[in-house]
Amino acid sequence: MEQVLDYIKENNMIKPREIIGVACSGGRDSISLLHYLNSIKADLDCEVVAINVDHGIRATSALDTEFVMQFCKEHKIRAYKFKGEALKVAKEEKLTIEQAARKVRYGVFETVIKKGLVDKIALAHHMYDQAETILLNIIRGSGLSGARGMEPVRDGIYIRPLLATPRENIMSYIDEFGLQFVEDETNNDTTYSRNYLRNIVMPALRRHFRSVDRNIVNFASICAKDDDFINSQIDLGTMIETNDFVKVPLTYFYQNESIVNRILRKVFSRYAKQDIERKHIKMVREFALEADNGSIISLPFKIKVLKEYDYIVIGNIKKKETVGQYPFASGKIKVEGYGVIRSTSSKVLTEPKIHQHIIDAEKLPEGAVWRFRQEGDTFSPLGLGGTKKLKDYFIDKKIPQRMRNDIPVLAVGSKILVVADIEISDELKVGPNTTRFYKINYHRDLI
């Protein structure tokens, strides 16, 4: 295990005076990691604590937690234990038990980090785990990002000190120090994909190819370098991001397919619980290049994809309820589903500011109300002459269809006088004889 310390330093995993929480299930690998890090904590100038998570999957899991607590007591290691409900999470969120257990586990890790109990989480994945992960990702249809396997350091928080260590070295360490550990009986259940690979496929490969694990890991290293280079060629500077969606310029989709795929995976990662499938990536690429403006498709995880003129909009886009009427008046009006419209009477004409309209107050008809568009609305845009359907005006202005019902309009009957924050009617324009004005300011709610 001497090479583990070099690997830790090479990857800058642990800084002086950090508290390292070792994820310890009580199994051979995590017990070895906990024991080893605790033995070299003085060399690293860090503190080592144990984090045990009982996922609530097995009837005997509580005994494993007791074992970890006793091990830590004997070795004077501070320990934290947590109980989760992976089976309940799997049922409620329609996840596999493996996915639910991972969610529970990482939820605990995030909690102890946020509470400041630890600075980093050390995971006991070793070289064989890495080889299995890479092969499993490839079997599931992964691209380069999956073929690169697990990272030694992820998000600056999760560290894997044993990732370059063969299992044989860990077994030798166990024997050398006479360490006890527990066996998770579910590790032999080959109905789980990873267990099938670990217990059936990999042993067969090792019998025929002695260096198969190291060769797979070396392959992943090559993939990582290639993947990093391709990612370095991606420019996301002109994407528009909000809380609910991302607008990707249509021009992005004319780039190399490898670039487009990565852009989409990055966008989808904001909304999906897990990686979106390759078939959906392909579907969005083709949709962007071939679909008509205004088209929409739905993907898993409640993701919607819309084509809006020069953009593809991707996200959890929900239809807003935009109802009600608000009589025009001086002062502030809170328009549900939009934001605030503030109208101020003035006798001094100034240049309109951003998000502001100035209209001739004397020309404003009585009974004007703020509302949302309706069938049959017409509009006479400032300076253009003539009247057109409001729908046609929105099309001319390239206002996305999903936004048209969310824009307040000032109207008398079916005649539109102002389209909020966009345009005023020619009928309300300020002229040389105007003596009183309304200054209308718009404040959109944060999207």
Side-chain angles (χ1 to χ4, degrees):
M1 296 275 279
E2 294 82 6
Q3 80 281 0
V4 176
L5 181 57
D6 293 336
Y7 191 70
I8 290 171
K9 292 179 178 179
E10 176 188 334
N11 289 280
N12 195 29
M13 291 185 182
I14 299 174
K15 297 176 181 177
R17 293 178 296 283
E18 283 188 327
I19 303 173
I20 308 302
V22 179
C24 186
S25 66
R28 174 180 51 217
D29 304 332
S30 61
I31 283 290
S32 299
L33 178 61
L34 179 60
H35 184 274
Y36 178 71
L37 288 182
N38 191 56
S39 72
I40 62 169
K41 62 184 180 182
D43 297 326
L44 294 170
D45 187 21
C46 70
E47 182 182 353
V48 174
V49 303
I51 308 292
N52 175 264
V53 182
D54 179 354
H55 299 90
I57 296 174
R58 298 176 292 115
T60 59
S61 58
L63 297 176
D64 296 350
T65 296
E66 289 181 20
F67 171 82
V68 172
M69 294 299 108
Q70 184 60 35
F71 180 91
C72 291
K73 183 178 179 181
E74 292 173 0
H75 292 83
K76 296 180 173 57
I77 301 171
R78 184 154 52 97
Y80 299 98
K81 62 179 180 178
F82 300 87
K83 178 71 180 288
E85 298 183 359
L87 295 177
K88 181 181 178 182
V89 172
K91 182 178 180 181
E92 290 179 351
E93 302 192 19
K94 297 180 181 179
L95 302 172
T96 67
I97 293 177
E98 291 171 288
Q99 291 168 342
R102 187 181 191 280
K103 181 168 185 176
V104 167
R105 187 164 60 251
Y106 277 85
V108 169
F109 297 158
E110 290 172 9
T111 298
V112 296
I113 289 285
K114 287 178 181 177
K115 288 186 175 181
L117 300 178
V118 302
D119 296 301
K120 286 175 181 168
I121 300 291
L123 306 171
H125 299 118
H126 50 72
M127 181 186 288
Y128 282 17
D129 292 325
Q130 177 75 309
E132 291 166 4
T133 297
I134 295 162
L135 195 55
L136 190 60
N137 287 344
I138 293 172
I139 291 170
R140 286 172 171 166
S142 169
L144 278 182
S145 58
R148 66 188 294 158
M150 296 178 281
E151 302 288 346
V153 180
R154 181 167 69 82
D155 300 333
I157 296 174
Y158 299 100
I159 62 175
R160 297 183 171 95
L162 302 179
L163 201 56
T165 303
R167 174 169 285 172
E168 290 85 353
N169 293 26
I170 296 172
M171 295 171 69
S172 297
Y173 185 83
I174 287 282
D175 292 340
E176 179 182 353
F177 289 93
L179 301 179
Q180 301 297 310
F181 58 90
V182 295
E183 289 280 5
D184 182 344
E185 60 268 25
T186 63
N187 286 341
N188 297 317
D189 184 355
T190 54
T191 59
Y192 294 108
S193 299
R194 181 174 287 276
N195 287 346
Y196 179 80
L197 196 65
R198 174 173 295 164
N199 299 323
I200 306 296
V201 177
M202 293 305 294
L205 288 174
R206 290 181 190 118
R207 285 194 294 271
H208 289 275
F209 307 100
R210 191 171 58 180
S211 301
V212 62
D213 293 278
R214 189 170 297 279
N215 289 343
I216 291 175
V217 171
N218 289 341
F219 165 75
S221 178
I222 295 169
C223 289
K225 289 182 175 64
D226 289 351
D227 194 36
D228 287 341
F229 173 75
I230 296 173
N231 286 329
S232 72
Q233 305 304 301
I234 298 175
D235 177 15
L236 301 177
T238 54
M239 280 202 327
I240 301 172
E241 299 188 39
T242 74
N243 292 334
D244 295 329
F245 57 82
V246 175
K247 294 179 71 172
V248 184
L250 199 57
T251 53
Y252 279 29
F253 292 88
Y254 293 96
Q255 299 183 69
N256 181 275
E257 187 175 310
S258 295
I259 301 291
V260 178
N261 290 349
R262 282 165 173 76
I263 291 172
L264 290 175
R265 288 195 182 279
K266 178 178 175 61
V267 172
F268 286 133
S269 68
R270 292 177 42 135
Y271 308 105
K273 299 174 185 176
Q274 61 197 67
D275 282 350
I276 209 81
E277 293 182 43
R278 179 178 294 181
K279 66 180 180 182
H280 296 125
I281 296 287
K282 181 182 179 184
M283 182 189 304
V284 176
R285 280 202 324 265
E286 294 175 350
F287 173 83
L289 298 175
E290 300 172 9
D292 293 331
N293 179 56
S295 299
I296 181 170
I297 56 175
S298 297
L299 299 180
F301 311 112
K302 298 180 180 179
I303 297 173
K304 294 189 183 299
V305 182
L306 297 80
K307 189 167 188 178
E308 294 182 347
Y309 300 103
D310 298 326
Y311 290 90
I312 296 296
V313 181
I314 301 172
N316 299 134
I317 302 164
K318 304 177 182 68
K319 183 176 177 56
K320 293 181 182 178
E321 288 297 323
T322 49
V323 295
Q325 293 190 355
Y326 307 83
F328 182 90
S330 292
K332 182 175 74 172
I333 298 173
K334 172 65 177 176
V335 180
E336 212 51 50
Y338 176 79
V340 172
I341 299 176
R342 186 186 298 273
S343 302
T344 307
S345 180
S346 175
K347 293 184 178 181
V348 179
L349 180 62
T350 57
E351 285 294 321
K353 300 177 182 178
I354 188 171
H355 304 302
Q356 183 186 72
H357 285 142
I358 298 179
I359 63 173
D360 188 324
E362 303 295 340
K363 295 178 181 177
L364 182 64
E366 290 187 10
V369 297
W370 289 105
R371 60 169 174 80
F372 295 93
R373 71 167 182 157
Q374 298 174 357
E375 190 68 33
D377 283 345
T378 59
F379 185 49
S380 302
L382 178 67
L384 296 182
T387 300
K388 59 175 65 181
K389 291 181 179 179
L390 182 62
K391 175 182 176 181
D392 294 335
Y393 170 77
F394 280 147
I395 293 172
D396 292 343
K397 295 289 288 186
K398 294 189 174 181
I399 305 297
Q401 191 169 0
R402 65 181 171 84
M403 295 174 61
R404 295 173 192 170
N405 291 333
D406 302 338
I407 301 172
V409 293
L410 184 63
V412 172
S414 61
K415 181 167 65 176
I416 304 304
L417 304 169
V418 178
V419 180
D421 209 13
I422 297 176
E423 188 69 87
I424 69 170
S425 167
D426 201 64
E427 184 176 326
L428 299 184
K429 67 182 178 183
V430 173
N433 298 321
T434 303
T435 58
R436 191 165 66 91
F437 315 92
Y438 276 120
K439 296 178 180 181
I440 307 173
N441 295 279
Y442 308 97
H443 302 275
R444 292 293 308 262
D445 287 338
L446 291 177
I447 298 175

